[in-house]
Amino acid sequence: MRLYSDSELAQLLDQDIFRRIGRVADELGVECYVVGGYVRDIFLERPSNDIDVVVVGSGIAVASELKRQLGRKAHLSVFKNFGTAQVTMGDEEVEFVGARRESYSHDSRKPIVEDGTLEDDQNRRDFTINAMAICLNEGRFGELVDPFNGLADLEDGIIATPLDPEVTFSDDPLRMMRCIRFATQLKFQIEERTFEALEHMSDRIKIVSGERIEVELNKIIMADTPSRGFVDLQRCGLLQLILPEVAALDIVEQRNGRAHKNNFYHTLEVLDNIAKNEELRVKNEELATAQGDAEANSSFFTLHSSLYLRWAALLHDIGKTKTKRWEPLTGWTFHNHNYIGAKMVPEIFRRLKLPMGAEMRYVQKLVDLHMRPQVIADEEVTDSAVRRLLNDAGDDIDDLMTLCEADITSKNEVKKKIFLENFRMVREKLTDLKEKDYKRLLQPCIDGNEIMELFNLKPSREVGVLKQTLKDAVLDNRVENEREPLMQLLMEKAKEMGLTNNNKKI
């Protein structure tokens, strides 16, 4: 973070767009200020294209006049129902709004809006670090207006609300999610009174739509250290309300002196490992690009999507709560937790309004398969097992392996080293298979349509049995994936089942 004087802020904002806005405001006789995230990010020395301008008067009037003066190189969008306007010029987008005061009813996040002063507008802001404003009028250009000491909170790394936090969160409960999101992204601490308000007001989150919660959750998940946010969500009680399946993992039971690990904190460690892996991937891609190695750039950790890989990490053990059992001989077990967890994924995605298409199926697949590489690594790494894994994971195999490696959180360094070495062997065999065109190797060259034609069959159990016989033989590498040996095997199996070929008994 860096502190700036008003004169230094004036120099930083000495850009054509800000000077033009200030001149237009002066011509119309109104005050105008750049506010919110853009101001915050100046002091944090972070790039920002999120320019919000508050006008003490009509924001639409200032935006319209700015567009008139800029001519064809600018585009104006007006949203009369919200009293806002947007001016776009090249890569720059500026949102204009009139200063306003807001009041809320208890059962809605939609405020009753009235015209107000700059002070009214700053009072309605969510956090002190987002309530700072810099004047754009010529006579006060660059002057910082910071009534809630947001600059001091930025310097101290504190998230706090401008007014009573319970009122702030009651008025708009989504601000509770934003509070934790900002603390996570910026690596700040939530001020004590503000956190107490999160605990007291957490139940208000029930009036917020799944879509709005999803946006904030995704931003938390995509932070450098997402565990920070989920720990805060759990501590204040919000996680139990929005993701009870994950919150339920935060328990440790002990019996006969034997306890299982806390699967909630294990899950967060896996999630952080994925985030670190993604950071490493990006650095390697940047290095490869700088060196002109386009092939390395495209092939290093081919991730389906960092966001949904992180969702898979967050949900990979949710089935453990339902499958936990105490067995006197073996201790605590979680048999089939991957299968049960995969069945729970669609409901979570549906509730949070996450995409129900390919993204959901991708997460579901990784949750279902996340134990498979570990089972292979526990035992002898056979060609057959690797072939079956590759067949089931398909193009998502690299993501699955990344998740499984992140899942190794043992504090026993010897055990951890053995697992990683075995995973390395699995990766080598996978690489070898992919280089040989695994899709051709693993899919029998005789398909279901040909089987039905050969034996005068309609889609049925018999067709499924014959297809599976061929597939098992190919995956186990018992026969070459070539027509002649597969046809011989097919005829033998059909004879065993009493089927006829071309109406003749085999």
Side-chain angles (χ1 to χ4, degrees):
M1 178 185 167
R2 182 173 173 182
L3 298 177
Y4 296 99
S5 65
D6 287 355
S7 61
E8 288 173 322
L9 289 174
Q11 290 180 345
L12 286 170
L13 294 178
D14 191 13
Q15 303 169 35
D16 182 62
I17 187 66
F18 293 118
R19 288 294 186 181
R20 282 181 178 271
I21 293 170
R23 284 197 296 270
V24 168
D26 286 339
E27 290 169 10
L28 297 178
V30 295
E31 297 175 27
C32 72
Y33 303 82
V34 59
V35 299
Y38 192 88
V39 177
R40 177 196 69 227
D41 288 342
I42 286 175
F43 293 101
L44 291 175
E45 299 183 276
R46 301 196 315 175
S48 177
N49 296 318
D50 183 18
I51 304 175
D52 292 317
V53 172
V54 164
V55 177
V56 184
S58 171
I60 293 177
V62 172
S64 300
E65 177 59 21
L66 177 66
K67 153 63 180 154
R68 189 190 70 78
Q69 293 188 17
L70 290 171
R72 291 184 176 180
K73 62 182 178 181
H75 176 74
L76 172 68
S77 300
V78 176
F79 310 96
K80 288 186 178 180
N81 289 344
F82 300 97
T84 65
Q86 181 188 78
V87 174
T88 305
M89 185 175 61
D91 293 334
E92 292 179 325
E93 288 185 358
V94 186
E95 298 278 351
F96 291 85
V97 65
R100 60 195 189 186
R101 66 167 65 95
E102 296 176 344
S103 57
Y104 293 79
S105 62
H106 187 73
D107 59 350
S108 174
R109 291 182 54 241
K110 294 181 180 179
I112 299 168
V113 179
E114 303 173 272
D115 292 340
T117 64
L118 175 66
E119 180 182 5
D120 290 328
D121 201 88
Q122 288 177 302
N123 284 343
R124 75 178 182 83
R125 298 279 162 173
D126 50 8
F127 307 110
T128 61
I129 62 173
N130 294 334
M132 297 181 288
I134 301 175
C135 188
L136 297 180
N137 295 89
E138 186 174 356
R140 297 169 54 209
F141 192 84
E143 178 184 316
L144 177 67
V145 183
D146 182 18
F148 303 110
N149 294 315
L151 199 54
D153 285 346
L154 265 186
E155 196 170 11
D156 294 338
I158 296 294
I159 302 292
T161 58
L163 304 178
D164 182 337
E166 291 204 6
V167 174
T168 297
F169 294 150
S170 179
D171 284 349
D172 185 355
L174 184 65
R175 289 171 176 164
M176 294 188 287
M177 295 294 299
R178 286 170 57 82
C179 176
I180 291 174
R181 188 253 292 182
F182 278 119
T184 306
Q185 289 179 325
L186 299 176
K187 299 181 174 66
F188 281 16
Q189 297 297 316
I190 300 172
E191 182 257 345
E192 187 176 350
R193 283 184 62 244
T194 303
F195 194 85
E196 289 173 356
L198 288 176
E199 294 177 297
H200 296 158
M201 307 305 296
S202 61
D203 203 55
R204 289 280 288 156
I205 200 68
K206 292 177 181 178
I207 72 167
V208 180
S209 70
E211 291 93 338
R212 301 306 298 272
I213 291 172
E214 174 215 341
V215 169
E216 297 302 324
L217 270 178
N218 284 344
K219 290 178 179 179
I220 292 171
I221 285 174
M222 289 302 294
D224 291 342
T225 313
S227 61
R228 294 174 63 105
F230 284 96
V231 168
D232 282 343
L233 287 170
Q234 180 74 335
R235 286 175 56 222
C236 73
L238 280 170
L239 195 64
Q240 174 60 41
L241 298 169
I242 60 177
L243 263 177
E245 298 87 352
V246 176
L249 296 172
D250 189 9
I251 187 172
V252 175
E253 287 191 60
Q254 185 169 329
R255 192 173 294 188
N256 294 349
R258 298 172 71 176
H260 61 77
K261 65 186 173 186
N262 185 306
N263 288 302
F264 175 71
Y265 288 99
H266 161 74
T267 291
L268 297 189
E269 191 173 350
V270 175
L271 181 57
D272 282 351
N273 286 343
I274 292 290
K276 291 174 189 173
N277 179 278
E278 172 67 1
E279 183 180 349
L280 176 64
R281 182 187 70 85
V282 170
K283 287 180 180 178
N284 276 274
E285 286 187 350
E286 290 174 350
L287 178 63
T289 301
Q291 295 174 343
D293 188 352
E295 183 178 351
N297 184 30
S298 64
S299 64
F300 189 90
F301 284 139
T302 308
L303 297 180
H304 172 88
S305 160
S306 179
L307 172 61
Y308 293 104
L309 179 57
R310 294 184 191 207
W311 268 105
L314 182 65
L315 302 181
H316 80 283
D317 272 351
I318 53 172
K320 283 190 170 180
T321 304
K322 293 185 176 182
T323 59
K324 182 169 63 177
R325 299 287 184 273
W326 169 258
E327 296 179 3
L329 296 179
T330 57
W332 293 103
T333 65
F334 304 91
H335 295 313
N336 293 322
H337 74 272
N338 54 310
Y339 170 73
I340 298 299
K343 290 179 66 176
M344 296 165 68
V345 168
E347 171 54 30
I348 293 172
F349 268 56
R350 190 174 295 109
R351 187 175 70 239
L352 293 175
K353 310 301 182 186
L354 285 157
M356 293 299 295
E359 295 87 350
M360 186 278 290
R361 292 191 295 273
Y362 165 85
V363 172
Q364 193 174 31
K365 179 198 283 189
L366 294 194
V367 172
D368 187 24
L369 295 179
H370 81 270
M371 294 298 294
R372 287 273 295 280
Q374 183 173 325
V375 171
I376 294 173
D378 267 340
E379 302 166 358
E380 183 183 353
V381 183
T382 65
D383 286 346
S384 174
V386 172
R387 279 169 169 260
R388 288 180 175 277
L389 176 64
L390 186 51
N391 176 75
D392 293 341
D395 292 335
D396 299 318
I397 186 64
D398 288 330
D399 292 8
L400 177 62
M401 292 301 298
T402 299
L403 172 61
C404 293
E405 287 162 352
D407 198 16
I408 304 172
T409 61
S410 172
K411 300 302 182 283
N412 184 326
E413 291 301 321
V414 174
K415 184 177 179 181
K416 190 172 182 178
K417 185 176 180 180
I418 292 172
F419 266 122
L420 289 174
E421 174 60 22
N422 286 348
F423 277 148
R424 185 191 62 78
M425 293 170 60
V426 174
R427 277 195 181 272
E428 283 183 357
K429 287 183 179 290
L430 288 169
T431 300
D432 183 56
L433 272 175
K434 286 192 287 185
E435 286 176 352
K436 294 177 180 176
D437 186 4
Y438 77 92
K439 289 183 179 178
R440 183 185 62 80
L441 286 174
L442 303 184
Q443 296 302 319
C445 58
I446 299 174
D447 64 14
N449 289 328
E450 185 172 0
I451 290 173
M452 287 189 288
E453 185 179 342
L454 281 169
F455 301 104
N456 272 338
L457 293 173
K458 293 182 178 180
S460 59
R461 186 189 68 82
E462 286 83 0
V463 176
V465 170
L466 292 172
K467 283 178 62 179
Q468 192 62 47
T469 298
L470 299 184
K471 190 167 189 176
D472 287 342
V474 169
L475 291 176
D476 293 337
N477 205 22
R478 286 187 277 111
V479 299
E480 291 295 322
N481 192 3
E482 296 175 359
R483 186 169 183 79
E484 186 175 338
L486 282 179
M487 186 61 74
Q488 182 178 344
L489 177 62
L490 177 65
M491 292 303 177
E492 289 173 358
K493 183 63 178 178
K495 182 177 181 181
E496 178 186 317
M497 295 171 64
L499 297 175
T500 59
N501 177 21
N502 295 328
N503 296 319
K504 295 179 182 178
K505 195 75 173 176
I506 298 177

